[in-house]
Structures are given as structure tokens and as C-alpha cells.
Amino acid sequence: MASSEVGEVLEFEEYVRTRQEALLRSARRLVPDPVDAQDLLQTALARTFGRWDGIADKSLADAYLRRVMINTRTEWWRARKLDEVPTEQLPDASVDDGTDQRADRALLIDVLKVLAPKQRSVVVLRHWEQMSTEETAAALGMSAGTVKSTLHRALARLRQELESRELDARELERNERGRERCAA
């Protein structure tokens, strides 16, 4: 093994040692089972190791690895077999289908689109990835004070957008009721 290859291996090992916990948190957000999350991370790390020398800007390694985890999870989802067995009798227990949670997540993702890219990055890293202010600042190459002020403005903008959407929904509902009365 050439010395440059050894250096790449050592660099990758150091990266994994320092970022392992944060990456595992990301994997746990992608798959509900903790064991599957560990498998997902290991698979993503193995795939990333093969491309490690191709990542020119190592500060983007977290983003690259998260994309690999998302793609891997999607591959697993597509390849899974349905383990449902038809029966004559339906189960009595009701099951929470998670519709409300998915709707909230979809709304959040949609609302995040109103933010500037820098604001969106700060919100995602601080609140979704649960990074500290200092970790976020280091990841984005800005000062901790800039992270705080950007986060403050971004959250205010998100609140404003949510309130605006709530008002729009109420107005739409009032208009619908008015149309129903006129039709009756």
C-alpha cells in the first residue's frame, strides 16, 4: 500500500472516529430501528470509504455521507419484500399510521423552502441534526455569533410563514363555508 493510500485510510478512520455519533443520529432519523440505523451507517461508511479520495473538500464529507445513507435507505426500501399474509379476520387493535407526523414533516420541509440557503443550513444543523452552535459554526465556516443571529432571523421567518399559512387556511375555510351557504 502506497503512503498516500495509508494516509487516506488514516484520514478516513479519524473522520469516522470524530463524526460517528453525529452520523449515527442521522441514520436513526432515517430508519426507526436502532440496529437498522447502525447497519445503514456501516453500509454508507463502506461505500464512502471507496470514494473517500474523490471527496476533494473533506468539510463536505458529512453531507456526502448523509446522501449515501438516504440513497441506501431508499434502495433497501425498494428491495424489501412485503411480509403481509392475508387472513380471514382483521385485527381489532387500531394502529397509528403516522399520517399526522408525516403531514407535519411535509409542512416543515415545505416551510423551510422560504428560507435562504444559509438560514436553512443553520436551522437544519442546529435543530434537525442537533449540533451545538460551535459545531454548526465550524461546519458552515462562520462565527458562533453569526450562527445565533442567522438562526434567530430564520426562526422568526419560519414563525411568520406558519402564521401566514394559518391565516390563509382560515380564510379559505371561511370562503368555502360561504359558498356552501350560497349553494344551499
Side-chain angles (χ1 to χ4, degrees):
M1 198 181 279
S3 66
S4 64
E5 291 174 352
V6 172
E8 291 285 330
V9 170
L10 293 175
E11 182 182 18
F12 184 75
E13 286 178 357
E14 178 62 24
Y15 168 76
V16 171
R17 252 191 306 282
T18 58
R19 300 298 301 148
Q20 183 174 357
E21 302 238 353
L23 294 169
L24 185 56
R25 280 194 309 268
S26 294
R28 285 186 178 150
R29 288 186 189 94
L30 293 171
V31 293
D33 183 73
V35 174
D36 288 343
Q38 290 174 346
D39 289 345
L40 177 63
L41 177 58
Q42 289 303 314
T43 302
L45 287 171
R47 290 179 177 183
T48 302
F49 177 70
R51 308 286 247 162
W52 186 250
D53 60 339
I55 302 173
D57 186 356
K58 300 300 189 222
S59 67
L60 301 175
D62 278 8
Y64 182 90
L65 233 149
R66 285 188 187 100
R67 174 51 53 196
V68 172
M69 284 192 284
I70 290 168
N71 292 345
T72 302
R73 185 219 41 207
T74 302
E75 289 171 17
W76 289 357
W77 177 79
R78 287 179 180 155
R80 80 184 193 289
K81 292 182 180 178
L82 294 176
D83 294 329
E84 296 177 6
V85 179
T87 63
E88 290 183 27
Q89 216 172 5
L90 293 174
D92 290 336
S94 67
V95 177
D96 180 19
D97 65 357
T99 303
D100 290 340
Q101 185 179 11
R102 282 191 291 281
D104 288 347
R105 182 170 289 184
L107 174 64
L108 175 62
I109 289 170
D110 188 49
V111 169
L112 282 172
K113 292 176 186 174
V114 304
L115 297 178
K118 182 170 127 180
Q119 289 178 325
R120 189 173 30 246
S121 297
V122 169
V123 169
V124 168
L125 292 178
R126 282 288 289 127
H127 291 289
W128 201 297
E129 294 298 329
Q130 298 178 343
M131 288 184 174
S132 69
T133 302
E134 291 75 24
E135 290 171 331
T136 302
L140 297 175
M142 57 178 68
S143 71
T146 302
V147 168
K148 290 177 186 178
S149 62
T150 302
L151 181 63
H152 177 76
R153 285 191 298 275
L155 293 177
R157 177 69 180 101
L158 288 174
R159 278 187 212 98
Q160 178 186 25
E161 180 66 19
L162 287 170
E163 288 169 1
S164 170
R165 288 179 184 215
E166 179 68 26
L167 289 173
D168 290 347
R170 286 183 192 157
E171 184 64 30
L172 183 63
E173 188 177 320
R174 268 189 246 125
N175 290 341
E176 288 296 320
R177 275 190 255 138
R179 283 189 208 131
E180 288 173 4
R181 286 184 196 138
C182 290

